[in-house]
Amino acid sequence: SQKIEQNSEALNIQEGKTATLTCNYTNYSPAYLQWYRQDPGRGPVFLLLIRENEKEKRKERLKVTFDTTLKQSLFHITASQPADSATYLCALDPGNTDKLIFGTGTRLQVFP
Amino acid sequence: DAGVTQSPTHLIKTRGQQVTLRCSPKSGHDTVSWYQQALGQGPQFIFQYYEEEERQRGNFPDRFSGHQFPNYSSELNVNALLLGDSALYLCASSLVGTGGTEAFFGQGTRLTVV
């Protein structure tokens, strides 16, 4: 069956450290993968998109990697801050038609 | 640019009733997708509208229906509400034919069925 899995347990890290979140998928061959941030009671906000021919993408303190052999994407936040505390969702578009399939999300808590 | 706007923000309905949720897409966007997000879960795709027609649909029963208007705004209708329909309903807009670009989400409508 097709699945997108993210670590359902919350990730707690200290301010200033690097947070690494994992997204694994099975039985999909996506052309790209996206990461979103969601705060409680709000809609997801787009962060980064990485295509299948890209190994790594960066935006300020954010970095995403995409390994189509392992069927895995890693999302890194360097020099994390308490304001980075949120749920982070990975999503893929199986048919390249803007129909997004989301993982369950990983809640990140950055403490001072 | 107001981005994607949804109304209402919160709604309480009784089991068996019908509900209509509304969405205005981001300026310049022509495609609207609806998602259901249960507590602690990721958003699940309900359906997508383009040119006033349902373009694709997720695994949701026919009780869930929608509409898109000429100005690209959209409605989500749910009939015969069940307790399990309680969730955050999200609308996202994008431009057709640009698969691989970000989706812009509204703040959602929190539906509670009692």
Side-chain angles (χ1 to χ4, degrees):
Chain A
S1 63
Q2 296 175 315
K3 284 191 297 186
I4 303 175
E5 292 179 315
Q6 294 184 255
N7 192 341
S8 58
E9 291 182 13
L11 178 63
N12 297 308
I13 65 167
Q14 191 172 27
E15 183 175 9
K17 302 291 186 184
T18 296
T20 298
L21 286 68
T22 305
C23 176
N24 295 294
Y25 58 93
T26 54
N27 293 324
Y28 285 113
S29 297
Y32 60 91
L33 192 144
Q34 301 185 13
W35 284 87
Y36 288 79
R37 168 184 172 141
Q38 187 173 27
D39 292 288
R42 307 298 296 269
V45 174
F46 173 82
L47 295 175
L48 280 169
L49 179 151
I50 186 164
R51 299 187 185 278
E52 60 181 338
N53 60 346
E54 299 173 314
K55 294 296 183 189
E56 180 180 298
K57 201 138 185 202
R58 293 175 184 260
K59 179 182 175 183
E60 297 173 352
R61 296 184 295 111
L62 309 180
K63 184 178 86 171
V64 171
T65 63
F66 192 12
D67 189 324
T68 55
T69 301
L70 290 180
K71 294 188 182 294
Q72 180 182 79
S73 175
L74 298 179
F75 177 80
H76 307 271
I77 304 176
T78 58
S80 59
Q81 305 166 1
D84 295 326
S85 299
T87 295
Y88 291 86
L89 298 156
C90 71
L92 54 82
D93 180 355
N96 204 29
T97 57
D98 294 333
K99 170 186 173 180
L100 294 176
I101 309 298
F102 283 87
T104 53
T106 297
R107 191 162 65 86
L108 173 67
Q109 185 72 37
V110 181
F111 56 92
Chain B
D1 183 3
V4 179
T5 57
Q6 292 186 243
S7 63
T9 54
H10 295 85
L11 203 52
I12 299 174
K13 288 287 191 178
T14 303
R15 192 172 42 184
Q17 285 188 315
Q18 178 264 345
V19 69
T20 297
L21 311 181
R22 296 177 175 82
C23 171
S24 292
K26 179 179 169 62
S27 177
H29 282 183
D30 55 9
T31 301
V32 173
S33 301
W34 287 91
Y35 293 82
Q36 179 195 66
Q37 186 174 26
L39 207 58
Q41 301 296 314
Q44 281 200 293
F45 179 82
I46 303 175
F47 43 53
Q48 183 183 86
Y49 276 84
Y50 169 68
E51 289 190 339
E52 302 179 49
E53 290 195 359
E54 185 181 289
R55 185 170 171 233
Q56 49 185 334
R57 189 179 183 92
N59 189 25
F60 278 80
D62 292 344
R63 298 186 297 110
F64 290 77
S65 63
H67 189 78
Q68 186 179 35
F69 299 93
N71 66 352
Y72 307 120
S73 67
S74 177
E75 288 182 350
L76 163 66
N77 301 292
V78 187
N79 293 322
L81 284 167
L82 303 173
L83 297 179
D85 295 331
S86 297
L88 181 68
Y89 287 85
L90 296 162
C91 168
S93 74
S94 58
L95 268 177
V96 74
T98 58
T101 60
E102 62 184 289
F104 288 81
F105 282 84
Q107 82 282 6
T109 294
R110 171 69 63 186
L111 172 65
T112 302
V113 183
V114 297

